[in-house]
């Protein structure tokens, strides 16, 4: 396990099955069986993924009921959103540059047409 | 290496030294030596981290100059921001609930005071 919380979150998110599980849980609580159904992996593999998500605080599991439904916990995702937003200016500048580049190409193409 | 781009990005971000390198590069291009200076790790270890970041498309390296300065590439971070924004409603709801809980506690405390 990564020692710091943000590393643990990123590490848990670095797997398409785990991200698909979170996406499913965004629609409501689900049991391990329900979560495993759409994937071509064993229940055991899904249980492992759930353990990683739970340790990273991205899901919680019911304690009282036997089937222990899983539930999305979004707080670590808020931390990710906060972290990545620090870099917003860089991708926005990048896209602006691309836009400018496309405008120049279109302007040149139009000039050639005339 | 993770097969999909988003997994590769999350995996590269799941390390505090690699995130610190990105943070440094947000202030401008830097050489491997400059990037290694603040960390208690070998040049070799920093080079390894740079390779992971480069493979994930999070940095690029100059080809023409011998010292090959590193440069932040923010596009994969835009994809992360886009992915995580899908969950915004969940943490906003969560915080709203917390706010409501705190308001109730404060209201109860005030009632006891009166």
């Amino acid at each position: 396990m990564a020692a710091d919380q943000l590393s643990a979150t990123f590490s848990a998110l670095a797997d398409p099955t785990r991200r698909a599980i979170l996406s499913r849980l965004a629609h409501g609580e689900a049991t391990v069986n329900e979560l495993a159904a759409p994937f071509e992996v064993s229940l055991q593999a899904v249980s492992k993924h759930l353990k990683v998500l739970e340790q990273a605080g991205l899901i919680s599991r019911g304690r009282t009921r036997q089937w222990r439904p899983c539930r999305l916990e979004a707080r670590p995702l808020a931390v990710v959103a906060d972290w990545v937003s620090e870099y917003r200016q860089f991708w926005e500048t990048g896209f602006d540059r691309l836009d400018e580049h496309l405008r120049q190409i279109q302007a040149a193409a139009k000039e050639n047409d005339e």
Side-chain angles (χ1 to χ4, degrees), chain A:
Chain A
M1 272 300 289
D4 65 298
Q5 178 56 53
L6 194 52
S7 295
T9 306
F10 280 132
S11 186
L13 296 176
D15 181 279
T17 304
R18 288 200 288 271
R19 293 197 302 278
I21 288 171
L22 292 182
S23 176
R24 164 63 188 81
L25 293 176
H27 298 281
E29 290 189 356
T31 64
V32 179
N33 282 321
E34 287 167 340
L35 289 171
F39 303 110
E40 283 177 8
V41 289
S42 64
L43 268 183
Q44 206 180 1
V46 169
S47 287
K48 256 190 194 171
H49 284 311
L50 293 177
K51 201 163 279 180
V52 175
L53 290 169
E54 194 176 11
Q55 284 176 339
L58 285 160
I59 66 165
S60 60
R61 305 194 59 182
R63 303 271 163 217
T64 52
R65 281 176 289 169
Q66 203 190 335
W67 52 90
R68 303 192 60 209
C70 299
R71 191 191 143 89
L72 178 69
E73 295 292 342
R75 192 166 286 255
L77 296 177
V79 179
V80 167
D82 194 48
W83 180 86
V84 81
S85 72
E86 298 282 326
Y87 294 89
R88 181 172 301 278
Q89 54 169 312
F90 293 98
W91 71 74
E92 281 177 350
T93 314
F95 291 159
D96 285 353
R97 256 189 241 147
L98 185 67
D99 281 351
E100 179 56 31
H101 182 62
L102 290 174
R103 259 196 301 276
Q104 285 175 359
I105 290 172
Q106 284 164 350
K110 209 180 157 196
E111 228 163 75
N112 286 340
D113 283 350
E114 281 167 3

